[in-house]
Structures are given as structure tokens and as C-alpha cells.
Amino acid sequence: MTDVSVLVGAQWGDEGKGKWVDVLAKDTKITARYQGGNNAGHTLKIEDTTLVLHHLPSGILRQNHKAVLCAGMVINPKALLDELEAIKDYQTVSPANLLISARAHVITPWHMYKDAKQENEGNLRVGTTKKGIGPTYSDKTQRMGLRVFDFIDATKRKNWLELQKKEHKEFADFYSQNSDLWRTFETSADLLKPFVCDAEDFLRKQIKSGVSVLIEGAQGVLLDIEHGTYPFVTSSSTIAANACVSVGMDPRSIKKIYGIAKAYTTRVGEGPFPTELHDAIGKEIARKGKEFGATTKRPRRCGWLDLVALKYARDLNGFDEIFLNKIDILSGFSQIGVAVAYLHPTLGRLTTFPVSAEILKDCTPEYEFFAGWPEELPKNTTFNELPITLQNYVNSIEEKIEVPITMIGTGAGRDDFVERKSKINELRQS
Ligand code: IMP
């Protein structure tokens, strides 16, 4: 494992990043999260227990490992405390293994209220998680946000609340009508205070001294606020470059960038999705893949792998390796589609991801089909022992994407994966 690596979701989120963070964390000392908040949901299966983490990087569950929530994150104090409670049987959490950036911004009950109101009553329905993410980032960029540094100081917190009450009548009304929510919110401050520090300074020093750090993204590249399918995106920058911004580190520190992609595609919420399958195959992928949101329980929309989108993700991030996840879910289909281009009614055949969601919504995929594999996959196996048609599928994707595919997820368990000798790496070495 190289000193600093970044792991990014290469699609619309829910690629199964938590599993790979957990796998890679074995060889790292620190896992840091660089954006988003509890809109994320990382599901981990440990023996017979399923744990869902929202703010915490899954590395927190490893022994002698530190987890860091960095400056670019937005944090819901009560939800974070609930998460700590949920993992208490698996890990003892203390300021020695959890560090929270004083620079991160705080999601308040008001932000959650505004998010839900915009979704329920506004003109644009994005299908957000209603966790208050957009309003919190929006206050941050308007320089009106509440930073963790100010939240844990009773006087500064009070000043912020008073200012909001003075500035917005709606806030003042919401505040006075929801005293229980605000009481819990304020109580959380003292409970989280011991974990708060200059996390970025800590990380820079660790990186300088050669400690291995894994920096984990949430959501996915196509939900990036600049480069995603705007406005159907999240409110932070999800791409690998933002890891440097959030940690405040020299961009040259990054030695490896991992892209995590499912062997098919899913999307939650609104927005264009060219390879979406509205038929029985789409439903079957959703059923087998348990494609329901870990955070909101909403059903995920499912479809074939989209190589136009994946190549775009590759170019935005510079993936060194791709981990192809959940290939077991495709077992049993007679043929498997992969989108290699888009066909647009006026723009013709496109091989570049369009600049606007408006163009993308009118694109239909041009597919290449691969023979499927009927059998369920064996456990404890190697790539070469998997069905030959599965191997062909993966080999062909690697050839088209021109990035080594080095790990294949073959099941939900922590150890359900096979390593793959990439043909690209073999060629590079010869
Ligand atoms: P928000 O991040 O809650 O503001 O939601 C904005 C968009 O991002 C919506 O389409 C959500 O469904 C999507 N989204 C947010 N977090 C995740 C995630 O962790 N996985 C997949 N989609 C997400």
C-alpha cells in the first residue's frame, strides 16, 4: 500500500466503497473522509452482522486504526453520536481513534428542515436524502455556516443561533417550535468536543512522516457538484482532487487513486440515467443486488454498465486501478449489456459524456452484449476459476476502459472478492 491513496465511487454512488475501504484499511493506519455527510451509507457485512456507517469511514472498525472526518465534510452531531452508539459492540471509540475536523461544517435541524421543504414544496425535485446536505453547504459558501469549531463553544454557538433568528423569521419560528430538537443538538456539542481537533494539521504531519493514509470519498463521481449531472447531484465535489482540498495537503502526496464501480449501474433519486432498465432484468438486478438505499431505504434504479460514464469518471480522477464490485449479481442472465456510446436525436453518436443533464436525458445507449454465466459463483476461488464468460466480460471492460481492473467483488461478505492479474499491468511490466 502506497502512503496516500484515494478511493472514489466511479458511478452515481452506492458502488460498495465501504467494503473496499474495509479491505484496504488492513494495510493502512488512517482512513479519512473528505466530503459529504450522513447522506452516505456504507454497508458492511461482518460475519452475520450488517453495519451501516454514514459519517464514519469503515476503517474505524479495524484495530490500531484512526478515522478522520476532514474539513470538507458536513456533520450531523446527533446522527454521528447515534452511529458511535451503533458500533460500540465492535469498536471502542475515543479521541485516540476518531478525529473530527474543527473546520467541518455542522448540519443543524434547520438545514434538515430546509432540505425537506425544498424537496417537498420546491420547483426542482432532486430526490435528495433530506439530510440537510445542500442547505448546509449552501450556508457554508455564503459564509453563514456553523463550523464545528464554533459549535463546540457554547458562546459562539449561541451567537450563531441568535444571528440566524435575527436574520430569518422562518428560522426563529422553526427554533421556537422545535425546542426538543435544538436541546438534543446543543447537548451533542459537549459529547463530540473531545474528538474535535485540527485534523488537517494532524494528517499533514502523518503524511510527512510516511504513515499510510487512505482517503475515502462518498457518493460518486457523477454526483459531483461541478462535473456531475447537474442539478441532479449532491452539493460537494466528490472527485479525487477534492481530497487534497479537504485535507489541505500537497496534491503530489497522492500516490494511488482507486475507482470503485459496480459491474452494472445504479442511481437513487432523480436525474438522467441512459442505461436504466425499466424491465424485468432491471427489477431482477435490484432484487438480487438488494438495491435499496442504505440511508433512505429508497429503491435504487438499476441498469447495465455504462462505459461512456465510466471513461468520464476515469478521466476526471485518473484512476490507477478499478475494483469491479458485485459481479455475482449478474450471474444467471443469458446476456449482459455494456453501453459503449450514446445515440442522441440531434447530436448523433456520442462517446464523450455530455455537458448537460438535458442532453443526457435524450441519449439512448448503444450496447455491446456479452454472453452471461448461468452458475452462482464459487466461494474462496481465483479469477481464473470463475466462469470463462465472466472472465471475458471483465477482460473486455478492462480493454475498453484502459485501466487495470485488479479486484472483483464476488459477494457481500468482507472476504468475498478475488484479486485479478490485470492484462494491462502485465503488458506494462513486460
Ligand atoms: P443529497 O446529497 O442528499 O443532497 O442528495 C442529492 C442527490 O445525491 C440525490 O439524488 C441523492 O439520491 C444522491 N445521493 C446522495 N448521497 C448518496 C449516496 O450516498 N449514494 C447514492 N446517491 C446519493
Side-chain angles (χ1 to χ4, degrees):
M1 182 101 199
T2 37
D3 296 345
V4 180
S5 18
V6 181
L7 181 144
V8 177
Q11 294 158 319
W12 274 289
D14 308 314
E15 298 88 354
K17 294 178 285 294
K19 170 179 177 148
W20 298 104
V21 173
D22 183 54
V23 169
L24 293 171
K26 265 198 289 199
D27 301 319
T28 44
K29 291 275 174 257
I30 301 173
T31 319
R33 185 70 199 262
Y34 65 87
Q35 42 71 232
N38 60 328
N39 47 348
H42 291 172
T43 306
L44 282 169
K45 199 152 179 265
I46 299 175
E47 280 138 30
D48 289 334
T49 309
T50 303
L51 290 175
V52 186
L53 302 178
H54 298 285
H55 297 89
L56 296 169
S58 33
I60 186 96
L61 296 168
R62 296 269 173 200
Q63 297 314 314
N64 305 316
H65 198 92
K66 291 183 198 301
V68 186
L69 308 186
C70 295
M73 282 191 71
V74 288
I75 295 171
N76 178 323
K78 163 76 169 63
L80 177 55
L81 288 168
D82 288 347
E83 223 172 303
L84 295 179
E85 177 67 21
I87 64 164
K88 74 174 191 306
D89 291 341
Y90 302 90
Q91 183 61 290
T92 310
V93 180
S94 76
N97 63 350
L98 175 65
L99 292 85
I100 302 175
S101 171
R103 294 179 176 88
H105 276 248
V106 175
I107 304 171
T108 73
W110 164 246
H111 294 117
M112 288 186 66
Y113 164 77
K114 266 179 85 175
D115 193 2
K117 188 167 178 219
Q118 274 163 19
E119 275 293 305
N120 297 338
E121 299 168 22
N123 291 324
L124 173 72
R125 243 189 74 76
V126 173
T128 74
T129 58
K130 299 185 184 168
K131 299 290 175 190
I133 307 298
T136 308
Y137 276 116
S138 146
D139 273 0
K140 169 181 168 171
T141 47
Q142 287 207 61
R143 292 151 302 210
M144 284 170 26
L146 176 65
R147 300 215 304 174
V148 169
F149 179 78
D150 298 324
F151 170 62
I152 56 168
D153 178 311
T155 311
K156 291 190 184 16
R157 186 172 68 238
K158 188 162 179 289
N159 289 345
W160 185 85
L161 289 167
E162 289 309 314
L163 186 68
Q164 303 309 307
K165 283 189 224 169
K166 239 190 262 161
E167 297 240 331
H168 317 284
K169 170 153 184 349
E170 202 185 347
F171 183 101
D173 292 344
F174 177 77
Y175 188 88
S176 62
Q177 287 156 16
N178 293 280
S179 48
D180 284 359
L181 283 182
W182 289 103
R183 204 169 308 118
T184 312
F185 174 72
E186 298 218 33
T187 322
S188 324
D190 285 340
L191 298 171
L192 288 180
K193 195 171 182 170
F195 300 98
V196 177
C197 61
D198 187 342
E200 293 73 40
D201 182 61
F202 166 80
L203 279 172
R204 276 193 299 272
K205 285 181 176 144
Q206 297 294 310
I207 292 169
K208 205 167 174 186
S209 64
V211 171
S212 54
V213 180
L214 175 64
I215 308 178
E216 171 192 336
Q219 289 82 49
V221 171
L222 302 171
L223 290 173
D224 182 272
I225 185 81
E226 325 278 356
H227 303 283
T229 48
Y230 191 90
F232 306 101
V233 290
T234 191
S235 298
S236 62
S237 174
T238 55
I239 63 175
N242 190 32
C244 303
V245 178
S246 184
V247 173
M249 68 180 175
D250 180 342
R252 288 165 297 193
S253 314
I254 299 179
K255 297 294 184 295
K256 201 156 219 180
I257 301 175
Y258 299 99
I260 313 300
K262 275 196 278 221
Y264 51 94
T265 311
T266 62
R267 173 162 206 170
V268 208
E270 306 299 317
F273 175 5
T275 62
E276 182 170 12
L277 293 165
H278 297 279
D279 58 7
I281 297 177
K283 286 202 180 76
E284 182 61 1
I285 294 176
R287 188 193 64 77
K288 286 183 77 182
K290 299 196 175 66
E291 296 294 353
F292 291 90
T295 300
T296 59
K297 314 279 182 274
R298 287 180 293 177
R300 296 179 186 141
R301 300 153 64 193
C302 297
W304 296 129
L305 186 65
D306 181 342
L307 285 185
V308 184
L310 197 55
K311 284 181 183 172
Y312 180 55
R314 169 200 69 191
D315 294 344
L316 285 168
N317 293 278
F319 296 142
D320 293 293
E321 293 180 24
I322 287 180
F323 293 178
L324 197 65
N325 216 9
K326 296 184 87 165
I327 201 136
D328 51 307
I329 304 307
L330 297 182
S331 300
F333 292 109
S334 57
Q335 54 170 15
I336 293 166
V338 169
V340 291
Y342 298 145
L343 303 172
H344 186 273
T346 52
L347 301 171
R349 186 175 188 269
L350 306 176
T351 50
T352 303
F353 197 75
V355 70
S356 153
E358 214 176 295
I359 300 173
L360 190 64
K361 86 171 174 7
D362 293 331
C363 288
T364 47
E366 178 185 305
Y367 284 118
E368 195 173 316
F369 282 94
F370 292 82
W373 50 94
E375 62 264 54
E376 294 301 319
L377 305 182
K379 296 267 175 204
N380 303 322
T381 187
T382 62
F383 182 70
N384 292 337
E385 287 165 349
L386 290 172
I388 193 73
T389 41
L390 183 156
Q391 293 182 40
N392 290 342
Y393 178 68
V394 176
N395 294 344
S396 175
I397 293 165
E398 178 181 88
E399 239 168 63
K400 292 179 199 305
I401 200 92
E402 298 173 276
V403 177
I405 297 178
T406 52
M407 294 277 200
I408 319 280
T410 53
R414 210 179 205 185
D415 302 316
D416 293 335
F417 62 88
V418 294
E419 292 185 38
R420 173 176 176 274
K421 271 207 180 89
S422 148
K423 304 239 185 280
I424 297 179
N425 279 346
E426 274 173 12
L427 281 175
R428 281 181 191 156
Q429 281 153 16
S430 64

